[in-house]
Amino acid sequence: MNSTSTQFVPSRRMGIYEPIHQMAMWGDFKGDNCLDTSPPLILDVDAKIDNQSEDTSHGTLGPSNRYDQEASKMADKVSRRLAQNREAARKSRLRKKAYVQQLENSKLRLIQLEQELERARQQGFYVGGGLDTSQLGYSGTINPGIATFEMEYSHWVEEQNRQTDNLRNALHSDIGDPELRKHVDGAMRHYFKLFTMKATAARADVFYLMSGMWKTSAERFFFWIGGLRPSELLKILLPQLEPLSSNQRFEVCTLRQSCQQAEDALSQGMEKLHQIVAETLASGQLVEGNCLAQVRTAMEKLEALVRFVDQADHLRQETLQQISRILTTRQAARGLLALGEYLKRLRTLSTLWSSRSAESSQ
């Protein structure tokens, strides 16, 4: 070897520096079967490595493009699947809505048939095994407002029975007045809801509401302008409120007198309306046969009937609010419990009376 000094040249193959004396040693032993490590070979190898690196980088870019394409296809597939799911859900909601509407219509129709059967049974009108709805004062067509009211009123009675039981349990428990007040306020709101329902029903068919056909027969026995007289309820429920202080008793009696005066005024107004409508229908010659003008005028007069129903219910609502103000929380709870039980007994009386009448006719 000509030199033993060590010099380093860079090699891009390994990323390190190799001693140049090793290259000289490899040159001494170079033969036919030996590796030719002359500089041109090293440069060629380095060039190949560079080419391989470029090829490798290009090879990596190819799969990346394929991956992006596959990801895009997958995103499109997911989007289509989500769109299909949304469309299927929308159609399912429409089918469900149509099914629920069909059930509601069937229920309303069933309520109508039950009403017709009940009226026919009570009044005894049967024609050839079928119902003569003209005799019952019912046209046979469904009044949506009345059908909805009867369905809501049925739910209202169920809820009232539940609240009555809750009041009884609350009074027999050891809960304090704040918790008991929640039961009282809930029962009061429930009665106010009934007045709102009746106001809507009166505008749909005031004659139906006034007839009391939505009530049981025993309740109709005490009917007054679409409901019970507040003064009579105070008289019936007053013993259930004892013990009362002298001041409470005085205020309850004063409230009852005020109710009686308002009831008398409304009753006189109803009598006057009866007279006006009767005279309107009888005006002119009754034998003429043409009554359209008189009937139209009478219908205009009957618009006042809705206001009488509203005023009567307003009096009932004011009575409940005033008696709740006069009484303590526990007394108000006992009063609402007594009112709920009284109405429940009226309904039970109607059921037993109907059963008795049916048995006696057999």
Side-chain angles (χ1 to χ4, degrees):
M1 291 185 293
N2 298 326
S3 175
T4 59
S5 62
T6 302
Q7 298 180 2
F8 290 90
V9 296
S11 174
R12 283 184 293 180
R13 286 179 298 172
M14 303 299 295
I16 60 175
Y17 291 91
E18 293 182 352
I20 196 169
H21 74 273
Q22 292 180 2
M23 299 180 194
M25 291 172 61
W26 293 340
D28 293 339
F29 291 98
K30 182 173 67 174
D32 295 337
N33 297 326
C34 294
L35 178 65
D36 184 5
T37 58
S38 59
L41 179 60
I42 295 174
L43 293 175
D44 292 341
V45 171
D46 290 342
K48 290 181 180 179
I49 292 176
D50 290 340
N51 292 335
Q52 290 178 359
S53 299
E54 293 178 359
D55 292 342
T56 302
S57 63
H58 289 301
T60 304
L61 183 60
S64 175
N65 289 336
R66 289 195 298 273
Y67 176 79
D68 291 342
Q69 293 175 359
E70 291 176 359
S72 178
K73 291 180 180 179
M74 182 63 67
D76 292 341
K77 184 177 180 180
V78 171
S79 298
R80 289 195 300 270
R81 180 62 59 85
L82 290 175
Q84 292 173 355
N85 290 342
R86 285 194 295 268
E87 180 64 17
R90 186 184 69 84
K91 293 180 178 180
S92 177
R93 288 193 297 270
L94 291 176
R95 289 194 298 269
K96 182 178 179 181
K97 183 178 180 180
Y99 178 69
V100 171
Q101 185 62 42
Q102 183 181 3
L103 289 179
E104 290 293 334
N105 293 337
S106 299
K107 187 173 183 179
L108 294 177
R109 180 58 182 167
L110 179 61
I111 291 174
Q112 179 203 10
L113 293 175
E114 290 177 349
Q115 292 170 1
E116 294 174 352
L117 289 173
E118 178 65 18
R119 292 167 186 168
R121 186 188 61 77
Q122 292 180 358
Q123 301 184 23
F125 289 118
Y126 288 88
V127 180
L131 292 174
D132 185 3
T133 54
S134 62
Q135 293 287 337
L136 300 177
Y138 196 78
S139 63
T141 59
I142 298 178
N143 186 324
I146 296 303
T148 300
F149 169 74
E150 291 204 341
M151 183 172 60
E152 291 177 347
Y153 179 69
S154 176
H155 296 327
W156 186 91
V157 172
E158 294 176 359
E159 178 63 18
Q160 186 198 34
N161 291 334
R162 188 188 68 81
Q163 289 191 0
T164 300
D165 293 337
N166 290 342
L167 278 172
R168 184 185 301 104
N169 295 334
L171 284 170
H172 292 165
S173 65
D174 297 331
I175 65 173
D177 286 353
E179 188 67 24
L180 187 59
R181 171 55 62 178
K182 295 180 181 178
H183 291 278
V184 172
D185 293 341
M188 294 282 286
R189 287 193 300 269
H190 192 57
Y191 281 105
F192 298 162
K193 179 181 178 181
L194 175 60
F195 300 143
T196 302
M197 291 162 46
K198 289 174 62 181
T200 303
R203 282 152 183 78
D205 189 347
V206 68
F207 281 129
Y208 166 82
L209 192 70
M210 289 283 294
S211 70
M213 294 304 296
W214 50 285
K215 287 283 192 177
T216 61
S217 54
E219 288 175 297
R220 290 197 300 272
F221 180 67
F222 298 99
F223 233 49
W224 172 80
I225 314 183
L228 302 178
R229 288 180 178 268
S231 61
E232 291 184 358
L233 286 177
L234 287 175
K235 181 180 179 181
I236 293 170
L237 300 178
L238 184 59
Q240 307 296 326
L241 303 177
E242 297 291 350
L244 294 173
S245 66
S246 58
N247 185 54
Q248 285 179 321
R249 190 174 290 104
F250 172 78
E251 291 188 1
V252 171
C253 292
T254 302
L255 177 61
R256 186 186 168 203
Q257 292 175 358
S258 300
C259 287
Q260 287 178 331
Q261 293 174 0
E263 291 166 6
D264 292 342
L266 287 175
S267 297
Q268 291 174 7
M270 285 289 294
E271 291 177 1
K272 184 65 176 177
L273 181 61
H274 286 162
Q275 180 182 355
I276 292 174
V277 173
E279 292 176 352
T280 300
L281 290 173
S283 61
Q285 296 295 324
L286 293 176
V287 296
E288 290 179 354
N290 186 6
C291 62
L292 290 180
Q294 290 82 0
V295 171
R296 289 196 184 97
T297 304
M299 290 178 63
E300 294 175 358
K301 303 293 184 183
L302 284 173
E303 293 293 333
L305 192 57
V306 176
R307 293 194 293 272
F308 277 108
V309 173
D310 290 342
Q311 291 173 6
D313 277 343
H314 179 71
L315 178 60
R316 297 181 185 102
Q317 182 171 338
E318 284 292 322
T319 303
L320 280 175
Q321 290 177 329
Q322 290 298 324
I323 197 66
S324 177
R325 179 187 62 81
I326 295 171
L327 302 176
T328 65
T329 298
R330 198 157 293 272
Q331 287 172 334
R334 290 207 313 269
L336 289 169
L337 174 60
L339 177 58
E341 284 292 343
Y342 177 70
L343 297 176
K344 186 176 181 180
R345 291 181 184 183
L346 281 176
R347 292 191 287 267
T348 303
L349 173 61
S350 298
T351 302
L352 294 178
W353 183 263
S354 299
S355 301
R356 174 183 175 275
S357 300
E359 292 175 357
S360 60
S361 62
Q362 292 178 355

